[in-house]
Amino acid sequence: ELFVALNAGVPGSSCVMHGNNKSMDELRMAINADVHHIVVDNFDELDRLDALHAEGLPAPRVQLRITPGVSVHTHEYIATGQNDSKFGFNLGNGDAHKAAARARSSKSVNFVGVHCHIGSNVFAVENFAHAAKIMVDLANELEVEQLTFGGGLGVAYVETEHASTITEWSTHLISAAEQLRKPTQVFVEPGRSIVAAAAVTVYEVGTVKPIPGVRTYVAVDGGMSDNPRPVMYGSGYELFMPANASADRTESIRLVGKHCESGDILISETLAPAGLRVGDLVATPVTGAYGHSMGSNYNKITRPPVVFARNGKARLVVRRETYDDLVRLDVSE
């Protein structure tokens, strides 16, 4: 991700390096790019930074990722702030304080702050308020210069969901930050909440299969290869027709992909405009956060292009994959 951002012209100073298992090469890239700071996740990473400093690399600015022991209401696979987590230094068992003491005394890093991230697609702002209070108390105790509250604010994917606004979310964070005892830079990572709604995924209908008394299956030219979230997290989506986005949706269908699994379901049950036919285009909204970035070549399906559209103009930014791309990395004898 850092390489892609740098390649796109984003300056390293505008980037933050995350990850629970950063390699030596990845850390070296971050230091050479002079990223704003590295979020250190574990003691092994501190060892690697010691080794890189011994090589002659400068000491990077670091924040320590803290696991504050806060459980949130989201899918277990994307909850990250509880004690039983692969991420961060545990606050409850003393690891966070041990890491802070080591980082503060180390010549290999410039310890500037603490960071937390409690989970993704969290709707209850009270969870963030709880974590923020814990992190402010820790920041006051350690007297750090910087504090990152992380992100994870959820977005509504289906009509029955209601997500808190950024204003509601920030109100809780500001309230917590007002308890900081010294001037402190406060960061947030809004992520999904600002980019999810920026994209839609457009599919072409390939088959319409009504099973009387059971359901109607509508299969499209994609599936779990371009959007694995429904399979991984049981995520829900809505459906509309780009040619008539406001058309009444009166027909119950199941939207499925073209992969060789019965579990290749994009939307388990949804309403669609009546009379969907082969060749029609249908779209699922809110795929800007996790769509293209999670795509794969499962079943050797080529990945779709990415198009930016603004003010009636469109431009291609990622071309459609070809069959040649599927074998581009293959090595012959």
Side-chain angles (χ1 to χ4, degrees):
E1 289 178 334
L2 176 61
F3 175 83
V4 171
L6 295 173
N7 187 67
V10 179
S13 59
S14 295
C15 298
V16 173
M17 182 67 156
H18 276 280
N20 72 303
N21 184 21
K22 306 179 193 69
S23 69
M24 292 285 282
D25 285 342
E26 289 166 343
L27 289 168
R28 189 178 290 111
M29 183 195 305
I31 294 171
N32 287 333
D34 193 25
V35 299
H36 190 278
H37 59 267
I38 297 173
V39 180
V40 174
D41 203 90
N42 51 69
F43 291 107
D44 291 324
E45 188 174 334
L46 289 172
D47 292 341
R48 293 182 184 125
L49 290 169
D50 285 343
L52 290 170
H53 189 64
E55 290 181 5
L57 270 65
R61 295 173 296 276
V62 303
Q63 294 185 7
L64 300 180
R65 178 164 181 170
I66 308 301
T67 308
V70 175
S71 297
V72 297
H73 301 292
T74 189
H75 195 284
E76 62 177 313
Y77 290 174
I78 48 178
T80 58
Q82 69 280 5
N83 287 328
D84 183 4
S85 174
K86 74 174 188 178
F87 298 103
F89 296 99
N90 191 293
L91 182 60
N93 71 4
D95 281 349
H97 286 86
K98 292 177 184 176
R102 174 174 169 177
R104 179 155 280 156
S105 64
S106 174
K107 296 181 179 179
S108 304
V109 299
N110 177 14
F111 174 43
V112 295
V114 288
H115 170 286
C116 79
H117 177 76
I118 58 174
S120 292
N121 210 38
V122 178
F123 288 158
V125 290
E126 294 78 14
N127 293 152
F128 297 111
H130 183 197
K133 181 183 184 306
I134 293 172
M135 293 302 296
V136 166
D137 289 345
L138 180 63
N140 283 334
E141 178 186 353
L142 298 177
E143 298 184 326
V144 292
E145 304 168 19
Q146 298 177 359
L147 168 61
T148 298
F149 287 130
L153 180 62
V155 299
Y157 286 89
V158 296
E159 290 181 336
T160 56
E161 291 178 338
H162 172 75
S164 299
T165 66
I166 288 182
T167 300
E168 292 168 335
W169 175 60
S170 62
T171 297
H172 286 271
L173 301 186
I174 291 170
S175 178
E178 287 173 345
Q179 303 307 310
L180 288 164
R181 292 198 291 263
K182 59 172 284 187
T184 307
Q185 281 187 298
V186 176
F187 299 86
V188 293
E189 298 165 341
R192 181 202 306 260
S193 62
I194 61 174
V195 301
V200 299
T201 301
V202 181
Y203 300 99
E204 182 178 347
V205 174
T207 68
V208 178
K209 178 183 176 180
I211 305 176
V214 182
R215 73 176 80 250
T216 296
Y217 285 89
V218 176
V220 295
D221 58 344
M224 59 192 294
S225 57
D226 61 80
N227 187 359
R229 293 187 67 252
V231 175
M232 294 174 66
Y233 312 130
S235 304
Y237 287 87
E238 300 286 354
L239 174 75
F240 70 95
M241 294 184 69
N244 187 0
S246 60
D248 290 338
R249 296 180 296 158
T250 58
E251 184 174 345
S252 179
I253 68 161
R254 172 170 287 182
L255 190 72
V256 298
K258 62 181 297 173
H259 298 285
C260 60
E261 297 192 26
S262 294
D264 177 27
I265 299 171
L266 288 166
I267 311 179
S268 181
E269 293 293 335
T270 189
L271 292 176
L276 278 181
R277 298 187 299 270
V278 171
D280 282 345
L281 298 182
V282 296
T284 55
V286 203
T287 56
Y290 299 101
H292 173 72
S293 64
M294 295 180 77
S296 75
N297 290 124
Y298 180 49
N299 285 159
K300 294 302 180 183
I301 300 298
T302 55
R303 281 175 282 205
V306 178
V307 176
F308 282 179
R310 183 179 184 181
N311 296 331
K313 297 181 179 179
R315 63 184 178 96
L316 184 69
V317 292
V318 178
R319 67 166 174 81
R320 185 185 299 277
E321 284 186 335
T322 67
Y323 288 147
D324 287 339
D325 289 323
L326 298 176
V327 297
R328 184 168 51 86
L329 301 181
D330 291 0
V331 179
S332 59
E333 295 183 3

